[in-house]
Structure formats: C-alpha cells, structure tokens
Amino acid sequence: MALFRSLLSRGVPQSPPAAALCHGTSRVTFARCLSATKEIPGPKTLPVVGVLFSMLSDKDFDKNNIHLYFKKLFKIYGPIVKLKFPGKPTTVILNDPEDMKWIHHCTKDNPVRGGLEALKKARYLDDYFEKKGGITVEISKERNEEGELTSDLKDLLQKWSLETVCLISLNRHLGSLDPTLPIDSEQMKCSRAAIDFLRCTFECEEKFLWKIYPTKTFKTLQESLKILTEVCDRTLREFKEGIEERNTRDPDRSLNMIEQLLLDPDLSHKDVVTFMIDLLPGGTETMTNSSIVFLYLLAKHPHAQAKVQEEVDRVLGRDLSPITAKQINQLSYIRATLKESFRLLPPAIGTNRILQNDVKIRGYTLHKGWNCIMLSGVSGLDESQFPRPQDFVPERWLRHQPLGQIHPFASLPFSQGTRMCIGRRIFEQNMYILIARTLQRYNLEWRGEDLRREHSIVFNADEEKSHPL
C-alpha cells in the first residue's frame, strides 16, 4: 500500500528608483550598494552546460532532495548563490528571510513567476485558450481488523482533494470516491487528468526535449488539458444558466466564488475556465501531499495529537453537522500544527520571481530577467531562525511564541503578495476540516519507517516506500 503516507519592526523602506533597488544588512549603506558591485559567488560555470557538471559530479547531489544540495551551497558560498542552467535565465538562490522580504517588496508591483513553460505552450497550441497562458503559467471502509489501512491512502486522498476542490470551485460533486465507478467513467477520467496534468507539467519543467518535438509526456499534458477543459467548460455553462433563476428565487443571497467570477465583467468565460483548470490539479496534488505530511506528523507525535484531540472535543464534540466558520476560527492549535507541518516538511522548496528591474542586494547586482528563487524550505530549517529546527513543536506558532519571535518570511509556504497561492484559503479550510473530522473518530498511529519524499518542483510522498498507518 502506498504511504499514509507582521513584518518585523524593521519596516519596509521606500523604494529607490527601479533601476537601482538596493538592500543589505545593517552594515551595508545605500551608498555602498550603489558603488561597484561584487561578483555573486557560486559553483563553477562552464560554457553551454553551466553548473550541471559541478552539480552532477558532487557526491551530495540528489535530484530528489535538491534542497539538501542547495543547503550545502549556502554553507559554502553564503546566503546568496548564483547558478546557471542550460536554456534557463541566470538563477540566484536566497535563504535569508530579510533578503526574501526585500525581493518580495521590490517585485510587489509586478510579481512575475517563471516556469511552467510546457503548460503555456500546451495552451498556446489549443485554440480554445486564444493564446492565453492562465494565471499559474471515506477512509473507515479501507481498514482491516487491526485498524490498519488496506488500500492506497494517497489515492484516497487524491480523490478526496479533487472532490473538495470541485465542490468549492465548480459547485458540484464529481463522485470520484465511489468505489463502483468504472475506469472509463467521466469522474475517473477527470481524476486521472488532474493528476497527469500536474505530473507532466513538472516533468517537462525539468527537461527540454518537449521544446524540440512533442514528447510522450508533453502529449499526455495536452490530453489531460483537453479533458479538464471540456469538463470545466461544460460545467460552467450549465452553472451560469441557473444563476438568474437562483437570484430571482433568493435576491438577497450571497454569491459563491464561481458565481462571482462568472458575473465579473472583466473576465470572459474562457478566463474563468482557465482559472478553474489551474485550481483543480494544483489544489488536488498539493492538498494530497500536505495531508499525508500533516497526518504523518500527528501520528508520529502523540503529544501534539492529544492536544489536537482535546481542541476538537472542546470545539466540536461529537457533533457531525457541517463545521462552521466560527468553529474553524476556534481551532487555534490545529492552525499551529499546520504551520509547523509546513515549516518542517514544506509543500515546495520555495517561490520565485523573474526580476523586471535590476535589484541591488548585499552589494551584489541581480539583473533584470534573472530568476530569483527564495528558499523558505531551507530557511524554515535554519537554527538561527527556528530554535530546535528538526523538532515538531506546534507551540512555537501560538500567540505567546514560547520559542521566540518568528520572521514572517522565514517560512512562506504560500508565497506572499498578489502572486501568493490562489487556493490558499480553500486549502487551509479543507486541512482544518480533514484533521478535525479524522480525530473526531480515530486515533492515528504510525507503524513504519519515516516518511520519504521526493522533490519535483513540489515535494511528493514516495509511493514505493509506504507503510500502514
């Protein structure tokens, strides 16, 4: 079976002219930043191949755990490292929260994220999208007599994630959790398409042959995009036809998310379809992997699980009626455990920005067009930022902060600003409900080796190294 498996008081400075944005530590003055800049350190770069030879020949390099390699680079070269990869813009990686705060500030007016080129091309090749790339360019039945899961939990959580995202974004039940569904049903096709969509997007991101000819992975991406487009387009048209009737029947009702989007005069029908296509796979895969991590950490730490259980008993008791917003707001310890889960085993290694102007930082110049990657997945494990960084301590996130103040940019799982994760609120709500409902009925126990994850743009639970929970 597969694995169950306030900005600180320092403040934000006023922006200098865009061509000379400057930042550094307290020892670096503005005048010094404007002087001749130093060469950004990093591993040796060769013509054509860039840093590939240096990276691949390093005994500590593991593509499935690239964050560990980046951590080594920071130890060797300092908090800012320059990398050059074939066919990619110059890349700079950062791990100091103050530097990440500065980059977010410098790019707040026009935050551009790089990557997802294969998805952009797949949409450009489909006339439906009109050359637009989009903005992202039941468990109890599955246990044995000893209470162990007997089926693939990741598969179950993928279906659950897809159902919840569909219910919120498309206002419909897909029905993918029905075990009697035939493999060729629309629900199963849609479920597979959502999974293939993200997998193929990420695989293409790490390779380049799809740019020369349509590889098998790129063709699968195109097919999954076609299936999701047909489902979302048809569903939204059917839903839009009923808006007027619903408004007539209840003129004082509040519009849900999908209705607000469909009635927005600045958005076309295809814009909304594109938004939904981005939300479905991204929300499904991220929520699946984060759910596995969250449940795993609670199973491994019974003291924290007991505190969550106490909170669930106090706020919800045995009441299985729909959880209200007021009740969710009272789940403060669950909120803290989720934040600690993100810090210790983050959903992604970090976030990036393609610089639209030159930026000066620590006496270095980061040039327009460079890809700046802010590795909060590394800073989240930095002892200078988080005492006892390897320990699961949800209490550090409670209001009294017993382990000291936390820099708001030291752990940033959803990014920040106008380009933060579009599904953050949906994701958090579903995670609170998942944990609350699970611990209303079950105790969690882990009976296997430690959770293993592989990295491919985002972290994924390793399905081959799985054990029952």
Side-chain angles (χ1 to χ4, degrees):
M1 106 176 209
L3 190 59
F4 171 170
R5 337 191 243 178
S6 99
L7 297 179
L8 296 181
S9 57
R10 180 173 178 180
V12 176
Q14 294 296 313
S15 298
L21 294 170
C22 178
H23 167 67
T25 67
S26 59
R27 300 189 300 273
V28 180
T29 65
F30 183 70
R32 180 182 174 187
C33 284
L34 290 179
S35 64
T37 56
K38 304 173 290 183
E39 180 67 23
I40 302 174
K44 185 176 181 179
T45 300
L46 298 176
V48 183
V49 299
V51 298
L52 282 186
F53 179 79
S54 172
M55 184 171 65
L56 296 176
S57 61
D58 192 303
K59 63 181 179 63
D60 295 323
F61 175 74
D62 177 1
K63 70 174 185 176
N64 295 323
N65 291 281
I66 197 169
H67 59 296
L68 299 179
Y69 174 71
F70 287 156
K71 185 176 181 179
K72 177 180 179 178
L73 293 183
F74 288 132
K75 185 175 182 179
I76 296 173
Y77 300 107
I80 177 170
V81 181
K82 180 180 177 182
L83 303 169
K84 180 63 180 175
F85 299 103
K88 302 284 186 180
T90 298
T91 297
V92 172
I93 58 175
L94 308 170
N95 80 328
D96 187 288
E98 277 296 315
D99 296 340
M100 292 188 278
K101 170 183 170 182
W102 178 249
I103 295 297
H104 277 93
H105 171 66
C106 293
T107 60
K108 64 183 176 61
D109 294 328
N110 188 21
V112 178
R113 293 187 301 199
L116 306 185
E117 296 177 47
L119 174 56
K120 182 185 293 185
K121 181 175 180 180
R123 283 190 172 138
Y124 280 11
L125 292 175
D126 191 327
D127 292 339
Y128 179 93
F129 294 97
E130 300 174 345
K131 306 299 181 183
K132 296 180 181 180
I135 67 171
T136 61
V137 3
E138 211 136 331
I139 293 176
S140 60
K141 299 178 182 178
E142 308 294 334
R143 300 182 300 154
N144 63 19
E145 296 162 347
E146 297 179 359
E148 295 180 338
L149 287 169
T150 55
S151 62
D152 186 339
L153 182 65
K154 184 171 184 179
D155 179 63
L156 290 172
L157 285 173
Q158 282 176 329
K159 293 175 181 179
W160 165 77
S161 299
L162 182 61
E163 284 294 316
T164 57
V165 175
C166 279
L167 182 59
I168 294 172
S169 61
L170 298 178
N171 202 44
R172 63 171 289 188
H173 286 284
L174 191 62
S176 59
L177 283 167
D178 184 350
T180 65
L181 281 175
I183 195 170
D184 59 346
S185 65
E186 180 183 86
Q187 294 94 326
M188 294 300 293
K189 288 181 180 178
C190 187
S191 179
R192 287 195 301 271
I195 295 169
D196 287 343
F197 179 91
L198 211 61
R199 174 184 61 81
C200 293
T201 297
F202 290 165
E203 286 184 10
C204 286
E205 194 71 12
E206 296 178 337
K207 301 173 183 177
F208 64 91
L209 288 179
W210 62 268
K211 297 181 180 181
I212 302 172
Y213 69 94
T215 62
K216 180 180 179 179
T217 301
F218 184 74
K219 290 180 178 179
T220 302
L221 172 59
Q222 289 181 293
E223 181 61 28
S224 63
L225 177 60
K226 180 180 179 181
I227 293 172
L228 292 174
T229 301
E230 292 173 349
V231 172
C232 290
D233 181 87
R234 182 175 66 255
T235 301
L236 291 177
R237 290 187 186 281
E238 293 171 353
F239 190 77
K240 191 173 184 177
E241 292 174 358
I243 292 180
E244 185 174 347
E245 178 188 344
R246 290 190 291 273
N247 288 341
T248 301
R249 189 168 60 244
D250 185 6
D252 298 324
R253 73 186 184 91
S254 298
L255 299 178
N256 58 35
M257 182 185 75
I258 192 63
E259 291 173 323
Q260 293 180 44
L261 292 174
L262 289 171
L263 296 178
D264 190 327
D266 295 326
L267 295 176
S268 70
H269 174 81
K270 291 182 179 180
D271 287 336
V272 183
V273 170
T274 304
F275 177 86
M276 290 302 131
I277 294 172
D278 287 340
L279 188 61
L280 286 175
T284 298
E285 191 65 16
T286 304
M287 194 155 26
T288 298
N289 286 297
S290 295
S291 298
I292 292 171
V293 166
F294 200 0
L295 293 168
Y296 163 77
L297 288 172
L298 286 177
K300 289 282 287 185
H301 298 88
H303 179 68
Q305 181 182 162
K307 288 190 174 184
V308 172
Q309 186 74 66
E310 290 172 5
E311 183 173 80
V312 170
D313 290 344
R314 173 173 50 82
V315 176
L316 301 179
R318 297 181 179 275
D319 185 8
L320 295 179
S321 59
I323 299 176
T324 66
K326 181 179 179 180
Q327 288 172 320
I328 288 179
N329 289 334
Q330 296 174 30
L331 300 175
S332 58
Y333 194 78
I334 288 184
R335 188 175 299 109
T337 56
L338 183 57
K339 288 183 177 181
E340 183 71 344
S341 171
F342 285 148
R343 180 197 68 81
L344 194 60
L345 295 172
I349 194 171
T351 187
N352 80 309
R353 293 289 185 268
I354 301 297
L355 299 180
Q356 303 301 294
N357 298 285
D358 287 358
V359 174
K360 293 184 182 295
I361 185 170
R362 292 182 177 270
Y364 304 115
T365 297
L366 280 59
H367 293 287
K368 177 181 178 180
W370 283 14
N371 183 23
C372 188
I373 304 179
M374 294 157 282
L375 299 176
S376 60
V378 175
S379 62
L381 296 173
D382 187 340
E383 190 171 12
S384 67
Q385 300 296 330
F386 294 94
R388 299 165 55 191
Q390 300 298 329
D391 294 342
F392 183 67
V393 189
E395 287 77 9
R396 72 171 84 239
W397 296 97
L398 298 179
R399 182 170 296 180
H400 62 291
Q401 294 187 314
L403 297 185
Q405 282 193 319
I406 297 174
H407 195 294
F409 283 77
S411 179
L412 215 59
F414 297 103
S415 187
Q416 190 266 355
T418 57
R419 291 308 304 270
M420 70 171 6
C421 174
I422 61 174
R424 175 180 180 177
R425 300 307 178 192
I426 296 173
F427 175 89
E428 290 178 327
Q429 173 182 293
N430 286 335
M431 293 296 287
Y432 299 151
I433 293 173
L434 172 68
I435 296 303
R437 286 304 192 210
T438 300
L439 293 185
Q440 269 188 304
R441 302 179 65 182
Y442 307 110
N443 292 320
L444 302 176
E445 181 181 349
W446 183 258
R447 297 179 181 176
E449 298 176 5
D450 287 345
L451 174 68
R452 301 185 186 183
R453 301 195 304 163
E454 294 184 349
H455 181 265
S456 176
I457 310 300
V458 296
F459 286 102
N460 295 286
D462 190 339
E463 298 179 71
E464 301 301 322
K465 311 291 193 303
S466 58
H467 299 274
L469 185 82

